[in-house]
Amino acid sequence: MYWPIGTPRIFATSSGQAATFNRILSRDGLPPTTDAISEQRSERHSLLSPRDTAAGQDGPPPPTPITPVTPVTPLTPGIKPVEHEYYEGEDASVEHSPAPTPASSGLPLKEPILALRVARSGHIFAVITSTSMTIWQTKPTVILAVVMRSEASLKSYGTNIDLLLRPDSAILVVHTSLGYLITYTLATDAESRVYKPHFTSHTNIQRRRQSHAGDPGHIAPDQIFWGPGEGPGVRDVSVRFRMVIKVDAGIESALALDDELVVATRKPAAVQCIRWTPDSAGNQTTTELLSRMGWLGKKATVKEMTHDRPMNLSTWITSDGNAYAVQRIPPHQQGATESGETAEHKRLFKGYCFHTSQGDNDRAVKCVINARFSLIAVGCVDGSIRVYSARDYSGNIPPSHVHTVPVSRSAAGALTTLSYSPDGYCLFAGFEKGWATWSVYGKALSSSFSADQSVASGNREEWVYGVLDAAWVGGACEVLLVSRAHEAIWLLEMARSAVTGCYSPANLFRTVLQSTSSVMVYRGYDLPDLTSISAEPFLWHTARIPAIYLMNQWPIKCAAISADGRYVAVAGRRGLAHYSINSGRWKMFANEAMENEFQVRGGLCWYQNILVAAVEGSNRSFELRLYSREAALDHATVLYSQQMPAPVVLITPSGEDSLLVYTYDNLLYHFIFASAAGSIRLVQVGHIAFHGIVRSPARVRGLSWILPDSQLHDGDPSQDVAHASVLFLVDGKLVLLRPSLNDEGSLKYDMRVIVQNVEYYTSMRDQPFRKLATDSHGSHSSSRTAEETLRNSLWIFDGTELKAWADMEPVLKAISGESSKELPPMVSIPVDFYPLSVLLGKAIVLGVESDLVQRRDVNFSFFRFSIRTHLFLPDILRSLLNANNAPEALRLAQQYENLEYFAHALEILLHHVLDEEVDANPPPAPEAAILPRVLSLLSSFKQYLDIVVQCTRKTEVRCWRTLFAYLPPPQELFEESLQRGSLKTAGGYLLILHTFDELATASEQSVRLLSRAMREEDWELCKELARFLAALDDSGDTLREAMEMVNVRTARQDFDDGLGVMNNSNNGLLTAAVTRLKVPQQRSSANGNGSSSPSNSSTLRRNVAASDSDVDPQSATTSDAGSITSGSRSEGRDD
């Protein structure tokens, strides 16, 4: 659901001008030289020089002198602090320098970046080189401070090799090559800002009103330079050396957590926990030897550790290539748990091995946790990424699926980094020679492996052909990339489906993509059939989110489109804004304080022109608010407000006037929209408690219900909760709850997980405006409404292929009752792109595909995405025919008969079935064969003869015998084509007759067809027939004989029509036709210089086939549709 767009922005330290950020020369606790002490005492500078302040006032006072902190000596083997007796009255371990000149800055301008770390909130990130550490602010992307280690520090402790960042960004830890951990503190002044522009003569004031898309919105004078998320300005930070920890046992890996620093040592192999501050008993360090961990492999060391806070779970990768799920044992449970174990050997960790290496290729090297979907991804030596499902904390972590790199192992290189997007929908994997992304359950989304390495290298685009580290920022709308052996940081923008932030039916039925600053809406739903499936850029409506809203409320967390596609709403950190696609105008809160008073929590949805928002107020109040699109955004214009007792998990409209609201107290509320006296309000008509059914409400991603038709049309809305079957999407499991009554007459639910590994699902009952397939004039192709075949269908994407139940009624019946029945089979619809929505009326699946574009006329590469479509009608029809449900298949096909590409859909169906039956071994029995059922279905439509000919064009001759075993003789089909006037279709059957050796030289069929084409002046067909006849022999006698017979036949036909005796023009008909068709008058030997090369059978086949595709406008349209239908074999012409 994520696709890169555009080209990344690049950031790096620059020597083009004097640096205005903090440059800190850190000696890391070592005594300074005499010259440095003298210089430091003579002139002390603050963090920011006075000229860097906004109004030219004096800067902050000099920093308070501090003493390098010496922690209590840990009573654990292998770790001890580095204690220094040197102490000056001032902080001599860190030297703050004034803004340097380019010549004297000493900044490591060309040193490659070794590690990248991002704070949990995403507002700050840090990178290291071998000699320095740089602190960056994400928005605006500027350097806040640079810590340069002194020569003495580098000599004493070694160069930097890794970086750790405490999740709250308050402490940074540098791992050095000599086994030291150097810690620094990072303090931020919440009130102080730097780089603040000031315009003394500017008289304009800030105004917030409705604006056109992209309008800056009358930003205040001091904010005109700020972009998305840059409204708060540039923070003032202070970096201080804290302490140095020496690890004599050798550092294998380390992990910075909120409360402690976890270090895995080499000799002895142990895991040591160093608290940032001592506990109540004064203890600061604890240790557990790996040899005492019975669940860990013998003689193994921990090579890498990761931790996920939402799941409270860590992963360890050991030196033997195994991966473990590990939990920290709470302090009150750390007592002796095994016989003979004393308090000195407390157990600190418990874990389970979930990935066992079977060889060198599947040895684990990287690991990452996806808390949103309860998954653990393990990157292996061979480049594959094996994903496991963490079902509980007791070691039940079975394999789920595998992500495979689109290129060979040698072309990708070693795996360097793994990272899930914050919402869990996308996995990013960096390799030595490129990178790739996948959806959560394995659908390939994008990669850089298709790039031309020579072009990228010439443009110095290291982000294309190698990634060292990567991190998501901005609510997953951007990715930070660090390349191998390069000093730059790249920021790549990502577009994602609106479903990731707001799971609602409208977002599923209408494709909406959101990026860091815009919303893109697909507009092809109401356009003609062939236009809607084209890849033209005009099918996208792009709306720029107002700059004044993005400046303070970036990133955009959710977006929602209305059911009719007229309106779009977005919500960022605080407040919301909405947009009209027709007028191109945005509406925002006129009062900024009102905008900041609440945040959207639980999603957005539209009811006609009413926006429904689940919000959380500043006083921890929770409510549903109704806003009118026509009214200004203001507290006074809220149409209705419904207080909620708990935070809202999600909201979703259902039916014509229902609203379902699911809250964190595990209750599902049913509201209806009631209009009275020109106003609208929400009326609660029922609720359902799911206590004991849904264990964690926060894990619910999607929700809908299915009402019986009788209850939907004629029932009391207050009784809907007693009749509704509820669908829950929990993590990746789709759960169906079927209501029933127990022995006491109380309502109970039969629960069953009907599908696993679900990325999203769509119930067609939730489609707000169900329309039947329409022809090019917009008229309905059928009078069926409530009985529409796919009205009750359920569509599911599992990361591999799209699946569907054409009718949910058998599924509901399988769930009902005490006995569990087998679920009916699903229809599988393979697609080679990521599907985003199902256009039921057009019988297509719509998705997008990302492409990396490299051009010689520009010196950079960029990403763009294009529309992809796939016809699902052949797969549904085939499923019905497999089930021997021919009447239902016929009704479904008739529903889509007026589609412009309907014949092409039937042709695809015939192709797939024919190929399978030809290759089947052993061949299917006649009563089990699907091919005769398909041909019987095709015979019900007027395009039947054309479809058969088109199929023979695109299949091998060996398949023809199988096909015509269930068809009338080709001679009969030829005669029928002539009777219908389909001359070019008849030409196709002429070729089949020749292939089956049923066509004599200058046969009657050829003469009849050629004379008919000449009379109708279809000269293109005449040329194809002439080529066909000329290819029958090398002398050309067959063609001349046919032309003479045609002349006689034409003259006789003229006489029969009352033209009387042949006149001179009739006598010259043969001569004129011979001249027009370039019939050879004399044929030399095959080896003569004047002889033309005889056409082989493949050339003949192409020539005749070319005329077949132009039988009539309908047939021409079907042939064109093959080039735009994805996910199936190539259906394009051969000519």
Side-chain angles (χ1 to χ4, degrees):
M1 287 192 173
Y2 281 77
W3 298 270
I5 56 176
T7 190
R9 286 166 288 171
I10 183 170
F11 301 92
T13 54
S14 174
S15 60
Q17 59 183 359
T20 54
F21 47 79
N22 298 335
R23 186 176 71 89
I24 303 169
L25 180 63
S26 177
R27 283 179 289 274
D28 302 328
L30 296 175
T33 62
T34 305
D35 295 339
I37 296 175
S38 175
E39 179 183 353
Q40 184 177 0
R41 290 176 176 176
S42 63
E43 181 179 5
R44 294 298 303 269
H45 294 275
S46 64
L47 292 179
L48 297 171
S49 60
R51 59 181 174 274
D52 290 331
T53 58
Q57 300 174 356
D58 293 338
T64 304
I66 60 174
T67 305
V69 179
T70 301
V72 178
T73 302
L75 299 177
T76 52
I79 286 189
K80 60 183 179 181
V82 177
E83 300 182 4
H84 301 283
E85 296 182 356
Y86 173 82
Y87 170 72
E88 286 285 335
E90 300 174 345
D91 180 9
S93 62
V94 177
E95 178 182 339
H96 297 274
S97 302
T101 63
S104 63
S105 64
L107 293 178
L109 299 180
K110 296 298 181 180
E111 284 189 357
I113 293 176
L114 304 178
L116 165 70
R117 299 293 179 266
V118 180
R120 179 190 296 141
S121 62
H123 70 288
I124 282 178
F125 64 92
V127 297
I128 60 167
T129 67
S130 59
T131 62
S132 67
M133 176 177 64
T134 306
I135 314 298
W136 292 77
Q137 182 169 311
T138 305
K139 291 292 181 179
T141 310
V142 295
I143 295 176
L144 299 179
V146 176
V147 177
M148 300 167 52
R149 294 180 54 204
S150 66
E151 291 294 336
S153 173
L154 295 172
K155 184 176 180 180
S156 300
Y157 306 139
T159 58
N160 305 335
I161 60 174
D162 199 6
L163 175 66
L164 305 174
L165 178 63
R166 201 168 81 173
D168 61 0
S169 71
I171 297 178
L172 301 100
V173 182
V174 175
H175 176 197
T176 68
S177 58
L178 297 182
Y180 291 86
L181 296 174
I182 307 176
T183 62
Y184 302 88
T185 59
L186 179 67
T188 304
D189 189 341
E191 303 297 330
S192 177
R193 294 292 184 270
V194 294
Y195 309 127
K196 185 176 182 180
H198 181 66
F199 300 91
T200 57
S201 60
H202 203 290
T203 58
N204 188 24
I205 61 173
Q206 181 181 10
R207 291 181 294 171
R208 299 166 62 88
R209 60 175 180 84
Q210 67 175 5
S211 64
H212 287 285
D215 188 352
H218 299 274
I219 297 177
D222 60 345
Q223 298 176 333
I224 62 174
F225 290 147
W226 297 137
E230 298 177 359
V234 181
R235 291 181 171 90
D236 188 6
V237 301
S238 172
V239 182
R240 290 288 184 270
F241 166 76
R242 188 167 183 260
M243 69 183 207
V244 177
I245 301 175
K246 179 175 175 57
V247 183
D248 290 331
I251 302 174
E252 286 285 354
S253 59
L255 180 65
L257 303 179
D258 290 288
D259 300 323
E260 61 189 8
L261 177 66
V262 182
V263 180
T265 60
R266 188 176 301 115
K267 294 182 180 180
V271 176
Q272 302 171 336
C273 303
I274 308 172
R275 294 183 57 86
W276 301 115
T277 57
D279 57 17
S280 57
N283 299 322
Q284 194 168 0
T285 60
T286 51
T287 301
E288 184 176 6
L289 296 174
L290 299 188
S291 59
R292 294 183 176 273
M293 301 179 187
W295 47 271
L296 205 61
K298 302 298 183 182
K299 298 182 179 179
T301 58
V302 180
K303 305 294 292 185
E304 183 181 89
M305 297 183 290
T306 61
H307 180 75
D308 184 78
R309 185 187 184 192
M311 288 190 68
N312 189 27
L313 186 70
S314 299
T315 60
W316 292 0
I317 294 178
T318 55
S319 55
D320 54 7
N322 295 341
Y324 296 81
V326 182
Q327 274 193 301
R328 186 81 150 85
I329 300 177
H332 63 276
Q333 298 179 8
Q334 292 178 3
T337 56
E338 299 179 5
S339 59
E341 202 173 54
T342 63
E344 295 181 356
H345 303 105
K346 295 180 178 180
R347 294 185 57 192
L348 302 179
F349 301 96
K350 62 178 181 179
Y352 307 91
C353 180
F354 65 91
H355 173 82
T356 304
S357 174
Q358 303 296 332
D360 293 337
N361 288 335
D362 63 348
R363 293 173 61 89
V365 293
K366 294 290 180 180
C367 210
V368 65
I369 298 174
N370 186 339
R372 192 74 172 93
F373 291 84
S374 301
L375 300 174
I376 305 177
V378 179
C380 300
V381 171
D382 60 0
S384 64
I385 302 169
R386 291 166 168 81
V387 184
Y388 297 81
S389 178
R391 297 181 178 177
D392 53 40
Y393 293 100
S394 302
N396 186 14
I397 310 177
S400 175
H401 57 281
V402 178
H403 300 283
T404 305
V405 187
V407 294
S408 64
R409 176 178 174 181
S410 59
L415 179 68
T416 57
T417 182
L418 279 180
S419 178
Y420 273 109
S421 60
D423 57 20
Y425 279 95
C426 183
L427 174 65
F428 182 97
F431 298 85
E432 287 183 343
K433 300 179 182 179
W435 53 267
T437 62
W438 294 269
S439 67
V440 57
Y441 286 114
K443 194 65 177 180
L445 297 176
S446 62
S447 77
S448 67
F449 294 111
S450 61
D452 188 329
Q453 300 290 343
S454 61
V455 175
S457 178
N459 295 335
R460 291 188 55 80
E461 294 180 301
E462 284 80 1
W463 65 275
V464 172
Y465 54 86
V467 171
L468 175 66
D469 213 339
W472 297 83
V473 294
C477 63
E478 294 173 334
V479 180
L480 290 169
L481 304 176
V482 174
S483 181
R484 298 179 300 112
H486 200 271
E487 70 276 6
I489 302 170
W490 284 271
L491 187 64
L492 181 61
E493 184 177 355
M494 305 290 284
R496 66 186 188 275
S497 170
V499 176
T500 60
C502 186
Y503 199 102
S504 66
N507 283 352
L508 289 165
F509 290 117
R510 292 187 176 270
T511 297
V512 181
L513 303 180
Q514 62 184 85
S515 65
T516 187
S517 60
S518 62
V519 176
M520 291 155 281
V521 180
Y522 173 73
R523 301 191 301 173
Y525 296 92
D526 304 320
L527 297 177
D529 297 335
L530 291 182
T531 304
S532 63
I533 59 179
S534 65
E536 297 297 330
F538 72 84
L539 291 177
W540 291 101
H541 179 95
T542 302
R544 299 282 299 180
I545 302 173
I548 192 170
Y549 184 77
L550 287 174
M551 183 177 61
N552 293 302
Q553 310 305 345
W554 181 89
I556 299 300
K557 294 183 177 179
C558 65
I561 191 171
S562 61
D564 56 6
R566 297 171 58 192
Y567 309 117
V568 176
V570 297
R573 294 175 56 251
R574 313 287 294 182
L576 57 86
H578 51 75
Y579 173 76
S580 171
I581 292 179
N582 293 334
S583 67
R585 288 186 175 274
W586 284 91
K587 285 189 178 181
M588 300 171 294
F589 279 89
N591 189 327
E592 189 174 357
M594 291 184 182
E595 182 177 85
N596 291 322
E597 182 268 338
F598 71 94
Q599 65 173 328
V600 173
R601 183 178 181 184
L604 303 165
C605 69
W606 289 88
Y607 171 71
Q608 298 176 6
N609 65 336
I610 306 299
L611 176 62
V612 184
V615 305
E616 176 184 352
S618 56
N619 57 351
R620 291 286 296 172
S621 62
F622 310 102
E623 56 184 313
L624 302 174
R625 293 182 183 176
L626 306 185
Y627 296 96
S628 172
R629 166 62 197 176
E630 281 70 31
L633 278 177
D634 192 280
H635 288 345
T637 60
V638 175
L639 298 179
Y640 185 77
S641 179
Q642 173 71 43
Q643 296 293 324
M644 300 300 295
V648 176
V649 178
L650 59 88
I651 59 175
T652 179
S654 179
E656 295 182 357
D657 59 355
S658 293
L659 180 70
L660 304 180
V661 181
Y662 183 65
T663 61
Y664 276 88
D665 56 4
N666 219 352
L667 293 177
L668 175 62
Y669 295 90
H670 179 208
F671 294 92
I672 61 172
F673 294 94
S675 301
S679 63
I680 190 170
R681 62 192 182 96
L682 290 174
V683 177
Q684 182 181 340
V685 293
H687 72 275
I688 309 174
F690 292 109
H691 304 297
I693 300 176
V694 179
R695 291 186 299 175
S696 176
R699 308 195 76 84
V700 175
R701 297 193 291 123
L703 179 145
S704 60
W705 69 15
I706 301 174
L707 287 172
D709 287 336
S710 58
Q711 178 65 24
L712 183 63
H713 299 297
D714 304 320
D716 182 2
S718 62
Q719 298 300 315
D720 285 354
V721 295
H723 296 85
S725 299
V726 185
L727 285 167
F728 274 102
L729 182 56
V730 185
D731 293 339
K733 298 182 288 291
L734 186 59
V735 182
L736 178 60
L737 304 176
R738 181 78 167 144
S740 61
L741 298 178
N742 58 18
D743 296 336
E744 291 78 19
S746 300
L747 184 66
K748 70 181 184 71
Y749 285 93
D750 301 314
M751 183 181 70
R752 187 167 177 181
V753 177
I754 58 176
V755 189
Q756 298 276 3
N757 294 0
V758 178
E759 296 198 10
Y760 69 84
Y761 78 94
T762 302
S763 174
M764 288 303 164
R765 278 181 168 266
D766 293 332
Q767 190 168 4
F769 297 99
R770 290 188 296 269
K771 295 182 179 180
L772 299 177
T774 59
D775 58 23
S776 59
H777 301 287
S779 60
H780 289 288
S781 62
S782 173
S783 60
R784 305 178 66 211
T785 54
E787 293 80 20
E788 184 182 357
T789 305
L790 297 179
R791 173 180 176 268
N792 296 322
S793 60
L794 182 72
W795 300 72
I796 295 158
F797 183 63
D798 63 359
T800 304
E801 56 187 5
L802 194 65
K803 297 180 179 180
W805 276 297
D807 189 1
M808 277 296 291
E809 194 62 31
V811 180
L812 298 177
K813 291 181 180 179
I815 305 288
S816 304
E818 298 295 334
S819 60
S820 179
K821 301 178 182 178
E822 184 178 354
L823 294 174
M826 302 181 73
V827 182
S828 295
I829 305 172
V831 290
D832 61 352
F833 57 90
Y834 194 95
L836 289 175
S837 59
V838 178
L839 281 67
L840 200 61
K842 297 181 182 295
I844 61 173
V845 179
L846 175 74
V848 297
E849 185 178 53
S850 182
D851 297 317
L852 179 61
V853 180
Q854 292 178 300
R855 295 170 50 175
R856 298 289 181 179
D857 55 343
V858 294
N859 60 353
F860 58 88
S861 306
F862 61 93
F863 279 96
R864 66 182 179 189
F865 53 84
S866 57
I867 297 172
R868 295 289 307 276
T869 56
H870 175 80
L871 277 169
F872 66 73
L873 184 59
D875 300 289
I876 302 291
L877 292 175
R878 183 177 178 182
S879 173
L880 293 173
L881 294 175
N882 280 333
N884 206 12
N885 193 352
E888 192 67 21
L890 179 59
R891 284 194 292 269
L892 176 62
Q894 289 173 341
Q895 178 183 326
Y896 292 101
E897 186 175 3
N898 287 334
L899 287 174
E900 295 186 56
Y901 41 81
F902 173 70
H904 179 68
L906 297 184
E907 182 187 335
I908 293 176
L909 171 64
L910 180 59
H911 266 296
H912 292 171
V913 173
L914 178 60
D915 287 346
E916 284 200 4
E917 295 215 356
V918 169
D919 296 334
N921 189 15
E927 61 275 7
I930 306 300
L931 183 58
R933 303 176 193 175
V934 173
L935 294 173
S936 176
L937 174 67
L938 298 185
S939 64
S940 303
F941 301 98
K942 62 182 179 181
Q943 302 95 334
Y944 167 57
L945 296 174
D946 300 332
I947 294 171
V948 173
V949 167
Q950 295 281 2
C951 183
T952 57
R953 285 181 51 217
K954 302 168 186 176
T955 55
E956 300 177 8
V957 176
R958 68 185 183 92
C959 302
W960 292 10
R961 293 289 181 185
T962 303
L963 176 62
F964 281 91
Y966 302 101
L967 286 172
Q971 178 66 38
E972 294 184 15
L973 300 179
F974 173 81
E975 297 292 344
E976 187 175 351
S977 300
L978 279 183
Q979 292 177 7
R980 293 186 179 185
S982 302
L983 303 185
K984 295 178 182 177
T985 302
Y989 287 109
L990 197 64
L991 175 63
I992 297 172
L993 288 170
H994 170 69
T995 305
F996 287 168
D997 295 327
E998 298 177 9
L999 187 66
T1001 302
S1003 68
E1004 177 70 14
Q1005 294 93 331
S1006 303
V1007 173
R1008 289 169 57 197
L1009 181 59
L1010 183 56
S1011 63
R1012 181 82 173 267
M1014 291 174 62
R1015 287 180 56 82
E1016 297 185 8
E1017 297 185 354
D1018 189 348
W1019 300 112
E1020 289 299 324
L1021 178 58
C1022 291
K1023 288 181 180 180
E1024 298 299 334
L1025 289 171
R1027 295 191 190 103
F1028 168 66
L1029 293 172
L1032 295 180
D1033 61 26
D1034 294 337
S1035 64
D1037 294 337
T1038 302
L1039 178 57
R1040 283 194 297 272
E1041 179 186 355
M1043 293 302 299
E1044 292 173 356
M1045 296 174 63
V1046 167
N1047 183 53
V1048 174
R1049 175 177 294 277
T1050 304
R1052 184 180 303 159
Q1053 183 67 36
D1054 290 343
F1055 184 83
D1056 294 340
D1057 292 342
L1059 298 179
V1061 183
M1062 295 173 55
N1063 53 30
N1064 294 332
S1065 61
N1066 292 111
N1067 290 328
L1069 180 60
L1070 177 61
T1071 304
V1074 168
T1075 303
R1076 182 184 292 270
L1077 299 179
K1078 301 178 181 179
V1079 177
Q1081 298 298 319
Q1082 184 176 357
R1083 200 75 158 176
S1084 60
S1085 63
N1087 296 329
N1089 295 332
S1091 64
S1092 60
S1093 301
S1095 302
N1096 56 33
S1097 61
S1098 62
T1099 304
L1100 168 64
R1101 225 171 265 122
R1102 287 197 299 270
N1103 292 337
V1104 178
S1107 65
D1108 296 341
S1109 63
D1110 298 326
V1111 173
D1112 51 39
Q1114 178 73 19
S1115 186
T1117 301
T1118 59
S1119 193
D1120 294 340
S1123 62
I1124 51 83
T1125 301
S1126 309
S1128 63
R1129 56 175 293 168
S1130 174
E1131 307 293 349
R1133 301 184 191 177
D1134 295 333
D1135 50 343

